[in-house]
Amino acid sequence: MKSENYFSANADLAFYYEKVIDWDRLVPLYAEAEDARRPAQTAESWREVLSVAGDFVGHQVSARAAEVDRLGTPHQGDIKVSPPMAENLRGLAELGVIGLGVPREYGGEGMPFVTQAAMLEMLARADASTMVQYAFFTSPAAMILRFGSDAQKQRWVPRLARGEVVGWVAMTGPGACWDVGNVSTTATRQSDGTWRITGRKQFISSGHGEVGVLLARAVPGSRGLNGLALFLVPKCVPDAEQGERENYDVERAEDKVCINGSPTCALSFTESHAEILGAPGEGWRQITTFMNEARIAVGIQSCGVAQAALSAAQDYAAQRVQMGKPIREHPLVAEMLLDMETTVAGLRALWMEAAVAYDLVQAFDRRLHKLSEVDPERPALEARKRRIEGYLREMTPLAKYFGSEEAIRVARTGMQVFGGYGVVKDYEVERFLRDSLILPIYEGTSQIQSLMATKDLLKAVTRDPRSLLAPGGHSPWLSGSRFEGVVGRHYAAAVRDFGRALNWLLWDVARRVGLRRVVAVMRGQAELDEADLDYVLLSAERLTQMLAHLHIGRLLAQQAERWPERGPLAERFMRRTADVCALNARRIMRSDRDALEAIQEWHASATA
Ligand SMILES: Cc1cc2nc3c(=O)[nH]c(=O)nc-3n(C[C@H](O)[C@H](O)[C@H](O)COP(=O)(O)OP(=O)(O)OC[C@H]3O[C@@H](n4cnc5c(N)ncnc54)[C@H](O)[C@@H]3O)c2cc1C
């Protein structure tokens, strides 16, 4: 595993923290007192923290990664992390880098998420399992901070932020996973006002932890997304006879092919003690905040895993000689390396944009929370928050979808660069490929992400049909961008192809449901159902691939305008964007409905 400082020796990552991130805007929103008034110095001190952490991660966590993978975790009995994983987590806690994003009054450093995000990328590059374990200190802490009482915050958050205890967040049950409305775990209020949980949760990362946040049905007889609530569930509760006893059963940890060092647990609850976070009925709204953060985090993790494969392939291709020259000098290998490098840079551009947007939304939220309802500053701040929230909503499924799909492709290409050694366990590229396989699955599969992005796209165009007249018009960020030269020509062609495909899809719907119904939908007097939109939804992944490329191309082109040394990267990515958009537009407009016809046949044969 490459041993170097994973922050300062990674030129592309460091570039964002030195040049791209607008610290003058971000620091005053997060830092306090004197630090808030000196953005440049404060940002420098944050970079220093990342550099110290990058040294630890790049030399020590990376060195233990193969052992963490080999040892995995026990699958039955006393489920815990392996000694090298425990060593990684202890080291991170000693450096004080676990609670970077947690407010200072709760034992953290009060930094913006974008600093913690660099930790996530570096850790994912060193060892994707350690990154998952690291994330489950602050993910439950964030939920407790957001929805917990003062006592709950004081009891748990400082210990999570310091890495003294680890937690879990459980939505998924044995039958209902991303279909949150089907949650079968129930919470029952006792006559003394306390709550008991009964049911099972499946696939819970870090489920062996000391405390968890759990989604359960709290209103008897409620259905779907109504009547859900979040609960804080400690692993141990006081017991009159034993002093303390286990509150629920950690049944097993799954035997997986990927992220072996992170226990993925099945939990069983029988009248388990729990404290409610917030109120019954708020669970769905609350859990979406976790899902949104987790999706960005998986986008970041994807970039880290892809970076690991890229660095390994670059080093190997420079020293492996075939036919009298290093293999990187054979054009087909050079092309693989360049494609990997371009992809990783693109993934980083996308998650960075999402992370900064996330920080702005959080900061505006906190500010609004402090303002009275009649404060004259409120309307303008609310409008700014709405705008950036819309942008974040557009970026999040793209970061998750594109990051995870592309990480697999990059890891697979990395294996190809290693030739026969790629499939040999002594070389780490096989682990990168195995670990990448989880990325498009957890925190909402790729299919769910692309459906979300497509439904949002449809909402935007039905809300403002005039946006269809301008290519990319549903998104002010896409339609408002113009670039010079070759990059500009490719961008214009790509946005045009996207617009053509979208218009074609909508005309196709109109042809099928009739123009009168479409007009009623646009006036808000009717709604289209899934059957009306079947071909649009079948095209979801194609549309999402186009959107992800367009946004990354736009971001890299904007960078190239300010920093000409980014020009070749922007041009390479934009050429690819034009190709991806042209191909996907052609595929959409070919109107291949084989899958829809197959569904009808399967359905008919099942009901015959
Ligand atoms: C290692 C690991 C860690 C995890 N950690 C956690 C955790 O910490 N907390 C937690 O709550 N959960 C966790 N999960 C659960 C994870 O989020 C789910 O496994 C994931 O969301 C997929 O759900 P599923 O397994 O039920 O697949 P299914 O929903 O059954 O999906 C199977 C296939 O069908 C597709 N599909 C399903 N519905 C649709 C649809 N409507 N349209 C199109 N395609 C569809 C999916 O994309 C997928 O390809 C974890 C899972 C794993 C494997």
Side-chain angles (χ1 to χ4, degrees):
M1 184 96 196
K2 185 155 187 157
S3 188
E4 63 181 11
N5 186 315
Y6 279 8
F7 183 70
S8 41
N10 183 338
D12 193 60
L13 181 63
F15 168 75
Y16 283 89
Y17 289 82
E18 280 158 16
K19 296 194 174 165
V20 181
I21 297 172
D22 184 354
W23 295 115
D24 289 345
R25 187 178 190 200
L26 217 48
V27 168
L29 296 174
Y30 281 85
E32 288 167 7
E34 190 60 13
D35 288 345
R37 288 189 284 277
R38 301 178 310 163
Q41 288 95 324
T42 302
E44 181 53 41
S45 72
W46 291 350
R47 278 196 293 272
E48 189 58 33
V49 171
L50 291 178
S51 183
V52 171
D55 199 60
F56 174 77
V57 174
H59 291 113
Q60 300 200 37
V61 177
S62 64
R64 286 191 275 266
E67 198 60 356
V68 167
D69 178 58
R70 193 181 66 77
L71 293 174
T73 68
H75 302 302
Q76 304 282 345
D78 182 17
I79 292 163
K80 57 185 177 192
V81 297
S82 65
M85 169 68 85
E87 193 62 24
N88 286 344
L89 302 177
R90 196 162 35 244
L92 292 164
E94 280 166 11
L95 281 178
V97 292
I98 287 185
L100 291 185
V102 173
R104 287 194 164 180
E105 70 259 40
Y106 293 106
E109 296 300 326
M111 295 182 192
F113 173 68
V114 76
T115 48
Q116 185 135 23
M119 287 297 302
L120 297 177
E121 191 198 303
M122 293 191 287
L123 281 168
R125 175 181 169 189
D127 176 30
S129 296
T130 304
M131 181 253 161
V132 174
Q133 288 310 113
Y134 173 82
F136 279 95
F137 291 112
T138 47
S139 295
M143 299 299 276
I144 300 168
L145 275 172
R146 212 169 281 139
F147 306 115
S149 65
D150 279 349
Q152 288 165 335
K153 290 180 201 172
Q154 292 296 350
R155 179 164 175 219
W156 290 109
V157 177
R159 294 165 70 200
L160 287 162
R162 288 194 293 265
E164 292 164 11
V165 295
V166 70
W168 45 265
V169 178
M171 290 175 286
T172 310
C177 295
W178 217 251
D179 190 0
V180 176
N182 270 332
V183 164
S184 59
T185 311
T186 55
T188 317
R189 199 200 301 252
Q190 308 297 292
S191 53
D192 62 358
T194 60
W195 291 85
R196 299 284 185 276
I197 304 287
T198 297
R200 297 181 66 238
K201 291 289 183 187
Q202 176 96 359
F203 293 139
I204 305 307
S205 297
S206 187
H208 67 299
E210 285 86 351
V211 64
V213 172
L214 174 143
L215 186 72
R217 188 158 297 289
V219 178
S222 63
R223 293 166 67 95
L225 302 177
N226 298 319
L228 302 176
L230 279 189
F231 293 88
L232 195 55
V233 189
K235 177 136 186 230
C236 292
V237 287
D239 182 81
E241 284 166 23
Q242 305 164 45
E244 198 174 65
R245 67 172 172 82
E246 301 230 322
N247 189 25
Y248 52 87
D249 187 22
V250 183
E251 291 180 330
R252 62 170 192 279
E254 307 296 348
D255 192 0
K256 316 187 290 294
V257 296
C258 54
I259 52 168
N260 287 334
S262 169
T264 309
C265 302
L267 309 178
S268 167
F269 304 84
T270 311
E271 296 281 303
S272 303
H273 290 240
E275 295 170 23
I276 195 161
L277 290 170
E282 292 180 350
W284 167 243
R285 181 187 61 79
Q286 293 172 325
I287 202 69
T288 55
T289 66
F290 166 76
M291 292 198 268
N292 290 336
E293 284 161 3
R295 285 168 187 163
I296 300 172
V298 177
I300 298 170
Q301 187 181 26
S302 303
C303 183
V305 173
Q307 177 67 56
L310 168 65
S311 300
Q314 282 170 329
D315 288 355
Y316 186 78
Q319 51 88 16
R320 173 78 173 168
V321 175
Q322 285 296 6
M323 299 185 191
K325 54 186 176 186
I327 57 170
R328 73 176 180 188
E329 291 177 27
H330 293 286
L332 291 177
V333 178
E335 193 164 55
M336 284 194 272
L337 293 171
L338 266 184
D339 178 65
M340 291 168 84
E341 189 182 309
T342 309
T343 305
V344 172
L347 299 188
R348 190 169 287 120
L350 193 56
W351 79 243
M352 200 62 78
E353 191 77 352
V356 171
Y358 176 84
D359 275 329
L360 294 175
V361 170
Q362 296 298 308
F364 291 159
D365 245 351
R366 272 202 310 274
R367 177 93 192 104
L368 280 167
H369 200 66
K370 288 182 188 153
L371 296 183
S372 79
E373 285 303 315
V374 292
D375 192 294
E377 203 193 320
R378 182 170 270 279
L381 196 58
E382 274 173 347
R384 282 171 74 195
K385 189 191 139 196
R386 262 197 311 277
R387 184 177 148 78
I388 195 79
E389 222 165 26
Y391 187 46
L392 178 61
R393 198 181 157 104
E394 200 171 327
M395 293 288 115
T396 301
L398 303 184
K400 165 72 171 80
Y401 172 86
F402 192 65
S404 55
E405 292 292 331
E406 290 292 282
I408 293 183
R409 203 174 63 80
V410 170
R412 147 88 179 82
T413 312
M415 184 179 256
Q416 189 67 17
V417 170
F418 271 70
Y421 294 106
V423 296
V424 172
K425 282 205 158 191
D426 293 345
Y427 291 79
E428 64 217 347
V429 282
E430 63 85 26
R431 174 166 55 82
F432 303 149
L433 183 56
R434 278 189 292 111
D435 280 347
S436 70
L437 297 177
I438 188 58
L439 301 165
I441 293 176
Y442 60 11
E443 304 309 344
T445 63
S446 285
Q447 290 65 43
I448 299 295
Q449 298 307 306
S450 62
L451 287 173
M452 282 174 53
T454 301
K455 284 177 184 172
D456 272 1
L457 174 66
L458 287 174
K459 264 191 220 146
V461 295
T462 41
R463 221 176 16 239
D464 178 15
R466 279 169 314 169
S467 68
L468 287 168
L469 299 174
H474 72 283
S475 163
W477 294 277
L478 290 181
S479 60
S481 298
R482 305 267 181 287
F483 304 103
E484 299 286 313
V486 182
V487 167
R489 280 201 297 283
H490 285 313
Y491 182 72
V495 181
R496 220 172 22 248
D497 278 334
F498 174 77
R500 273 194 319 134
L502 184 61
N503 280 333
W504 188 94
L505 282 169
L506 295 174
W507 275 115
D508 187 56
V509 173
R511 256 198 316 272
R512 281 157 14 102
V513 303
L515 215 53
R516 186 177 297 195
R517 185 123 165 263
V518 170
V519 172
V521 170
M522 286 174 171
R523 289 186 175 148
Q525 296 158 344
E527 279 192 11
L528 293 172
D529 57 33
E530 297 235 335
D532 298 325
L533 295 171
D534 56 3
Y535 188 66
V536 181
L537 299 179
L538 179 63
S539 306
E541 286 205 58
R542 287 166 196 155
L543 289 167
T544 309
Q545 280 168 22
M546 289 197 254
L547 284 173
H549 277 87
L550 284 168
H551 276 293
I552 295 173
R554 170 183 68 84
L555 293 168
L556 294 177
Q558 284 167 352
Q559 289 174 16
E561 284 178 338
R562 284 185 70 188
W563 300 285
E565 68 273 22
R566 304 287 278 182
L569 169 67
E571 195 175 320
R572 249 189 345 258
F573 201 94
M574 206 62 103
R575 271 203 305 268
R576 186 168 136 184
T577 301
D579 289 348
V580 166
C581 289
L583 177 68
N584 278 311
R586 205 161 56 238
R587 291 171 75 190
I588 287 173
M589 294 188 293
R590 198 171 56 202
S591 190
D592 171 357
R593 292 167 194 264
D594 279 2
L596 300 173
E597 285 157 16
I599 291 172
Q600 279 181 355
E601 276 173 33
W602 294 331
H603 191 72
S605 65
T607 50

